[in-house]
Amino acid sequence: MAAKRKAEVDQKSCVACGACAKACPIGAVAVWKGMWAKVDTGRCVGCGRCEKACPASVIRMKEVEA
Amino acid sequence: MKKKKWYDYLWIVSATYLILGFFNILFAWIGLLCFFIPLLLAIFGGDKLYCNRYCGRGQLFDLLGNKFHLSRKKDIPGFLRSKRFRYGFLIFFFIMFFQMLFNTYLVFQGTNSLKEAVTLLWTFRLPWNWAYHGTAAPWVAQFAFGFYSVMLTSTVLGLVTMALFKPRSWCVYCPMGTMTQTICKAKYSCMGCGRKKKYRREPLT
């Protein structure tokens, strides 16, 4: 079974700037109530753009079983 | 590719603001909007819509760092994103801000005379007399010089961290961002308390 990549946010360290939401090409990341970023894992295609954009480096791409 | 909206061009406003300060310091007053709008959005809206959507400074750093390749795009050091540093910087920023307000008050009272200078990084006093044409009360001008100092200092810090780390590194320790996130967290936990109280008041069945 092929492994897929999904973005994962370390919510405790997230600064909620929204750089990830702007970088996401499909709008699968959003800042939730001004507290931290949340990824819609169902929609995330694992492109890694949010990981690159995150200034606090709190987003990591995690391999999940497809 | 996402379609760009009007608010994606607010970096032009931020850049214009910084440039205007070189010609007439009184334009610095407009910068108060960058203080009040995020706070109001956090207090009444309960989100960081300003950071997420409208912050022209963030957009400017994004543009310079990504489109103009002026950023190394490296991870920010752990201490810069630690809660201790973020809240420490917020407190330091507050102290310097109130000191600036006190300076304005002293000029308003007539105790001190107007200093036509911009203080960069809270240390370096740069003569800025060409940008004041004597058209406002001295305290109005003093606040403008002080406020522009805050804005210019934070821009310089933001540009340095943009170059060294990721484009929007300033957002990690931006005092307004830390403050609005704290408000949002407090607001949400209070809402939680409210719900619990309401829940508790409901009669048991």
Side-chain angles (χ1 to χ4, degrees):
Chain A
M1 212 179 271
K4 271 188 177 179
R5 294 193 328 151
K6 300 273 179 192
E8 196 181 62
V9 183
D10 172 10
Q11 294 180 339
K12 275 187 184 168
S13 307
C14 179
V15 296
C17 66
C20 49
K22 276 196 178 169
C24 180
I26 53 161
V29 196
V31 174
W32 189 69
K33 295 190 187 291
M35 297 194 287
W36 47 67
K38 261 190 178 179
V39 181
D40 181 346
T41 43
R43 294 180 63 206
C44 178
V45 291
C47 68
R49 285 197 193 184
C50 54
E51 184 191 30
K52 275 187 192 153
C54 178
S57 305
V58 297
I59 303 181
R60 291 279 173 259
M61 303 310 292
K62 203 182 164 191
E63 295 216 334
V64 289
E65 284 301 316
Chain B
M1 187 86 179
K2 278 188 217 170
K3 203 185 166 201
K4 286 205 170 185
K5 302 259 174 56
W6 65 269
Y7 48 75
D8 290 317
Y9 297 95
L10 286 171
W11 59 271
I12 299 170
V13 178
S14 280
T16 310
Y17 174 81
L18 289 170
I19 294 163
L20 284 175
F22 280 81
F23 296 98
N24 192 332
I25 200 68
L26 297 176
F27 282 113
W29 277 82
I30 300 170
L32 279 175
L33 290 173
C34 305
F35 275 55
F36 286 113
I37 297 172
L39 285 176
L40 292 173
L41 286 174
I43 294 166
F44 297 106
D47 56 29
K48 282 189 49 162
L49 203 61
Y50 187 84
C51 298
N52 304 162
R53 191 179 279 179
Y54 305 117
C55 180
R57 176 176 301 201
Q59 291 174 14
L60 193 63
F61 292 146
D62 200 11
L63 187 82
L64 294 173
N66 287 320
K67 289 258 162 67
F68 288 85
H69 306 287
L70 294 173
S71 173
R72 291 195 317 147
K73 297 180 188 170
K74 299 280 180 197
D75 284 352
I76 198 164
F79 83 94
L80 279 177
R81 60 187 170 100
S82 67
K83 283 211 164 66
R84 193 175 284 186
F85 180 80
R86 289 179 67 210
Y87 284 103
F89 190 69
L90 174 65
I91 292 164
F92 172 72
F93 194 84
F94 255 118
I95 294 168
M96 299 318 275
F97 194 81
F98 281 107
Q99 193 208 31
M100 184 268 285
L101 288 181
F102 187 62
N103 276 339
T104 307
Y105 172 71
L106 290 178
V107 172
F108 172 76
Q109 232 190 4
T111 315
N112 279 359
S113 57
L114 169 68
K115 289 176 190 74
E116 294 175 32
V118 163
T119 315
L120 197 62
L121 298 164
W122 307 281
T123 317
F124 309 106
R125 186 163 281 184
L126 313 172
W128 214 266
N129 46 326
W130 69 82
Y132 178 57
H133 315 289
T135 46
W139 73 270
V140 174
Q142 186 61 64
F143 179 82
F145 280 114
F147 198 79
Y148 192 72
S149 302
V150 172
M151 297 301 266
L152 200 63
T153 296
S154 49
T155 307
V156 168
L157 283 177
L159 285 171
V160 170
T161 47
M162 173 205 78
L164 292 174
F165 314 116
K166 286 192 183 173
R168 283 186 66 164
S169 292
W170 165 254
C171 303
V172 176
Y173 59 97
C174 167
M176 288 312 297
T178 310
M179 204 166 13
T180 48
Q181 191 183 22
T182 309
I183 292 169
C184 289
K185 282 184 176 174
K187 205 175 151 83
Y188 187 73
S189 60
C190 286
M191 272 165 59
C193 293
R195 265 203 294 271
K196 273 179 210 157
K197 274 178 201 160
K198 197 179 164 192
Y199 182 75
R200 251 185 255 131
R201 264 187 254 120
E202 279 171 10
L204 292 164
T205 49

